[in-house]
Amino acid sequence: MSDVYAVFGTLLALGIAFPGLIFTWWLLFPGPVSRAETQLTHTPGRTFFWGLLLVFLLTAAVLVLVNLPLPGGNFTAVALVIFSLAVAAVGAAGLTHWMAQQLRQRSNPGLSAAGGFLRAVVALELAAAFPIIGWFLFIPLCLVLSLGAAVHALISRPAAEARIVVQPTGAGDAA
């Protein structure tokens, strides 16, 4: 019975922590999250295939590291998985940002950006928690999309921002 409580407690803690993680990524890394959202919006097919390629490469690397008789191979494999999931969380924040914009357009345009984002991340989490479909279809799909979008967002250069040139005016200029 204690095993059931441990599993339930772990899932409950993850359910509470996931929105906090995605919300924090959105606040701390607005540039990469915005670029990931743009990537998911404009080129979802290409993002999916890049993410799928990365998942296959990471899986192969982790399997090789785990099976090597080198000291530290398992540690390196675990570190690679944790790093990959942290990168994918940036893409998940981009996906959630896109969902929040859709939510604000379809429900209440007066909804704040933070309120829409929080509702979108909860909707994403509830969809992932749905039995069978959420576990085996939605979570892998979101992971692949998020990883592809995040890697693109992190390696791409930010768009050149418009530069505002302020012309100083002299105090003695008279019209």
Side-chain angles (χ1 to χ4, degrees):
M1 189 68 176
S2 64
D3 293 341
V4 173
Y5 288 142
V7 169
F8 181 75
T10 301
L11 291 175
L12 183 63
L14 288 172
I16 293 169
F18 181 73
L21 173 72
I22 300 302
F23 202 84
T24 302
W25 257 218
W26 178 58
L27 292 174
L28 290 178
F29 305 111
V33 168
S34 178
R35 289 192 300 273
E37 186 257 330
T38 302
Q39 183 73 14
L40 286 165
T41 303
H42 296 304
T43 57
R46 187 171 66 175
T47 303
F48 177 78
F49 287 117
W50 274 107
L52 197 61
L53 177 67
L54 288 167
V55 166
F56 283 133
L57 291 174
L58 287 168
T59 302
V62 166
L63 289 175
V64 166
L65 286 170
V66 166
N67 290 316
L68 283 177
L70 298 173
N74 289 342
F75 175 77
T76 307
V78 169
L80 183 61
V81 169
I82 291 171
F83 178 75
S84 301
L85 290 174
V87 168
V90 173
L95 177 63
T96 306
H97 188 254
W98 176 79
M99 289 174 60
Q101 290 177 346
Q102 296 297 314
L103 181 66
R104 287 182 21 217
Q105 286 177 358
R106 294 177 185 188
S107 64
N108 182 5
L111 184 64
S112 71
F117 192 86
L118 189 58
R119 290 175 185 169
V121 75
V122 168
L124 183 73
E125 181 178 43
L126 291 174
F130 191 81
I132 309 301
I133 296 169
W135 304 336
F136 299 114
L137 183 65
F138 188 73
I139 291 175
L141 178 67
C142 285
L143 179 66
V144 168
L145 281 170
S146 297
L147 190 60
V151 168
H152 181 272
L154 292 172
I155 63 173
S156 67
R157 301 180 95 187
E161 297 178 2
R163 298 179 189 217
I164 300 173
V165 178
V166 177
Q167 297 290 336
T169 57
D173 291 347

